[in-house]
């Protein structure tokens, strides 16, 4: 990425790595990647009116659960400071969605990790999958990676 604040698709959010995110070797603990991804996704949706504040959700789309999280580590993140989290949607279905993501240096040159995160929207009363709202569909459309153009 030549411009670390932009991406040709999806969104890039700079998220701070704090001292307590590090392991005994001074590198980002493997379990903290999921937390940092959540910290990148939350402001994106919150700025568009889908948030959880004051003990209440602003939209039923906030009520979802992670079904799967996969990650491949490419290089360690050493020390504290910002990391660029690039995320986009590979799939947005009736009740589920699958994000893809990359953790990169702020200048975009170093790929630290990449993976996917699948979620399912749940009905709070039944805890069963339920359809996304039109609001979520509109917001999600801004994150969907365009299909590659055949050569």
């Amino acid at each position: 990425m030549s411009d670390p604040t932009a991406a040709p698709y999806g969104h890039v959010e700079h998220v701070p790595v704090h001292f307590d995110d590090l392991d005994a070797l001074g590198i980002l603990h493997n379990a903290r990647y999921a937390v940092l991804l959540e910290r990148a996704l939350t402001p994106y949706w919150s700025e568009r009116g889908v948030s959880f504040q004051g003990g209440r959700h602003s939209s039923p789309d906030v009520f979802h659960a992670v079904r799967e999280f996969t990650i491949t580590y490419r290089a360690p993140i050493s020390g504290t400071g910002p990391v660029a989290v690039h995320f986009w949607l590979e799939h947005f279905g009736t009740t589920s969605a699958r994000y893809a993501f990359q953790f990169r240096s702020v200048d975009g040159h170093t790929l630290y990790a990449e993976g996917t995160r699948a979620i399912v929207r749940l009905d709070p009363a039944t805890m069963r999958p339920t359809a996304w709202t039109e609001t979520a569909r509109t917001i999600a459309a801004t994150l969907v990676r365009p299909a590659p153009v055949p050569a």
Side-chain angles (χ1 to χ4, degrees), residues 68-137:
E68 181 179 77
F69 183 85
T70 64
I71 189 165
T72 301
Y73 304 100
R74 302 289 182 195
I77 296 175
S78 300
T80 60
V83 62
V85 181
H86 177 201
F87 59 88
W88 61 94
L89 283 166
E90 290 188 331
H91 167 78
F92 198 81
T94 303
T95 64
S96 66
R98 185 177 57 256
Y99 286 95
F101 60 85
Q102 295 180 334
F103 285 78
R104 291 186 167 274
S105 57
V106 171
D107 66 10
H109 296 298
T110 304
L111 175 62
Y112 297 120
E114 58 190 334
T116 61
R117 177 183 188 250
I119 59 174
V120 177
R121 178 161 178 251
L122 299 174
D123 180 303
T126 64
M127 297 300 283
R128 300 289 306 151
T130 192
W132 300 104
T133 67
E134 285 307 311
T135 299
R137 293 193 171 288

Side-chain angles (χ1 to χ4, degrees), residues 15-23 28 32 36 39 79-82:
V15 180
V17 173
H18 298 282
F19 180 76
D20 61 350
D21 294 322
L22 306 178
D23 66 11
L28 182 63
R32 302 303 287 176
L36 293 183
R39 290 181 182 161
T80 60

Side-chain angles (χ1 to χ4, degrees), residues 40-93:
L41 292 168
T42 299
Y44 186 84
W45 284 90
S46 182
E47 290 167 6
R48 289 153 182 82
V50 180
S51 64
F52 190 83
Q53 296 176 1
R56 298 179 53 101
H57 54 48
S58 66
S59 164
D61 299 300
V62 175
F63 203 84
H64 62 267
V66 175
R67 181 179 53 125
E68 181 179 77
F69 183 85
T70 64
I71 189 165
T72 301
Y73 304 100
R74 302 289 182 195
I77 296 175
S78 300
T80 60
V83 62
V85 181
H86 177 201
F87 59 88
W88 61 94
L89 283 166
E90 290 188 331
H91 167 78
F92 198 81

